[in-house]
Amino acid sequence: MRISVLTVCRNAATTIRYTLDSFFAQDHEDKEMVVIDGASTDETLSIVRAYPQDRLVVCSEPDKGMYDALNKALRLYSGDAFGVLNSDDAYHDPTVLTRIARTLNSAEMVHGHLDFVRSHEEKAVIRRWRATSRPSMGFRTGWAPAHPTFYVRREVAETVGPFDLSLAIASDYDWMLRAVEKTEFRLATIDHVMVDMLPGGKSTSGLRSHIAHGFESLRSRRQWLGSPRVDYALFAKPARKIGQFFSW
């Protein structure tokens, strides 16, 4: 099974080496990385081009943000399945893509565990996201997969369609909601840490971003699940995250 890893970046020279190194270290041989660069002005592109190009698809041009870049990547990838690895994140160990490929033989979607780390040098864990199986009410309960661990077969991507550019910060949540709640595809949980993630992304960089993500996620639930103006998940979703700081 060929797995495509979609990485979008702009001026990511300080972190993208860790992302690329962890991809090339994967023991799953049939893989590609699609790098969509938003016209970086630092050393990002020269770093990317120093790696073996036979495993990379690189596009560098201005875009309208992360989700526009991901939509470009969806048009370029060639794999049987895909997932997203952010340009400041890294795979936890070399077995991750092998585990994904193995699990996607019996399910169309997978997700797994994620660690937030202080840095990729020391790997000190500051928060642990532990994946659980979808509860009976799914996203209505505040549950959701961790997007950097969410991989799907091509038929899922073709069914769900592009990322919604009208959502500035929660389009990845919206995409997963549509995949999990609006299709009949099977979702499997991988009991393994898949990604080491640095804090500070668009949805995790502070209280304001958490609040904005919460209300955009509510908008998605209202559109696709018929949720009321204020629903249970609006409060349950952030409450679930509290335990991630004390899960060890």
Side-chain angles (χ1 to χ4, degrees):
M1 174 182 291
R2 185 171 180 81
I3 298 181
S4 297
V5 178
L6 313 186
T7 298
V8 303
C9 57
R10 187 176 189 278
N11 294 339
T14 59
T15 59
I16 200 167
R17 284 187 179 89
Y18 298 104
T19 308
L20 288 158
D21 286 345
S22 73
F23 168 77
F24 281 97
Q26 292 298 299
D27 58 15
H28 183 75
E29 288 296 323
D30 197 2
K31 60 182 182 286
E32 72 170 359
M33 175 178 278
V34 180
V35 179
I36 306 297
D37 174 72
S40 288
T41 57
D42 66 0
E43 300 299 313
T44 298
L45 270 181
S46 61
I47 293 170
V48 171
R49 287 173 174 153
Y51 285 79
Q53 297 299 292
D54 60 334
R55 296 297 179 91
L56 297 177
V57 177
V58 182
C59 171
S60 181
E61 62 185 19
D63 56 48
K64 299 175 183 177
M66 177 176 67
Y67 300 123
D68 180 42
L70 282 174
N71 283 340
K72 292 181 184 179
L74 287 179
R75 295 191 291 268
L76 292 175
Y77 84 96
S78 65
D80 305 298
F82 89 90
V84 176
L85 185 65
N86 298 320
S87 61
D88 55 357
D89 300 337
Y91 289 117
H92 184 71
D93 62 44
T95 70
V96 173
L97 292 186
T98 294
R99 295 172 186 269
I100 291 169
R102 183 187 308 132
T103 309
L104 284 174
N105 285 324
S106 56
E108 291 82 27
M109 305 180 290
V110 301
H111 70 126
H113 306 327
L114 177 148
D115 282 347
F116 286 85
V117 298
R118 198 178 311 278
S119 73
H120 289 303
E121 293 89 349
E122 58 179 299
K123 296 294 186 184
V125 178
I126 58 177
R127 175 180 162 195
R128 299 185 191 274
W129 183 312
R130 291 300 172 259
T132 59
S133 299
R134 178 190 177 276
S136 60
M137 294 294 288
F139 278 67
R140 292 178 176 88
T141 69
W143 172 92
H147 187 242
T149 75
F150 189 67
Y151 281 70
V152 303
R153 295 182 67 97
R154 178 175 285 272
E155 55 263 37
V156 179
E158 292 173 346
T159 300
V160 175
F163 289 85
D164 184 349
L165 300 188
S166 71
L167 296 169
I169 196 170
S171 192
D172 48 357
Y173 173 92
D174 173 81
W175 203 95
M176 292 189 298
L177 183 152
R178 286 184 279 146
V180 174
E181 303 289 358
K182 304 302 290 183
T183 74
E184 298 298 321
F185 294 117
R186 296 162 295 177
L187 174 67
T189 303
I190 297 176
D191 185 16
H192 185 77
V193 177
M194 295 168 62
V195 173
D196 295 330
M197 181 175 182
L198 295 181
K202 290 183 70 173
S203 63
T204 62
S205 58
L207 179 61
R208 181 175 295 180
S209 66
H210 282 288
I211 293 172
H213 191 274
F215 280 102
E216 281 201 359
S217 300
L218 172 60
R219 173 183 154 187
S220 176
R221 293 191 299 274
R222 292 183 64 192
Q223 177 178 359
W224 298 108
L225 303 180
S227 294
R229 292 180 63 86
V230 176
D231 67 354
Y232 173 77
L234 181 64
F235 305 99
K237 186 171 177 286
R240 281 176 173 266
K241 295 180 180 179
I242 295 173
Q244 296 172 7
F245 293 92
F246 306 99
S247 60
W248 69 97

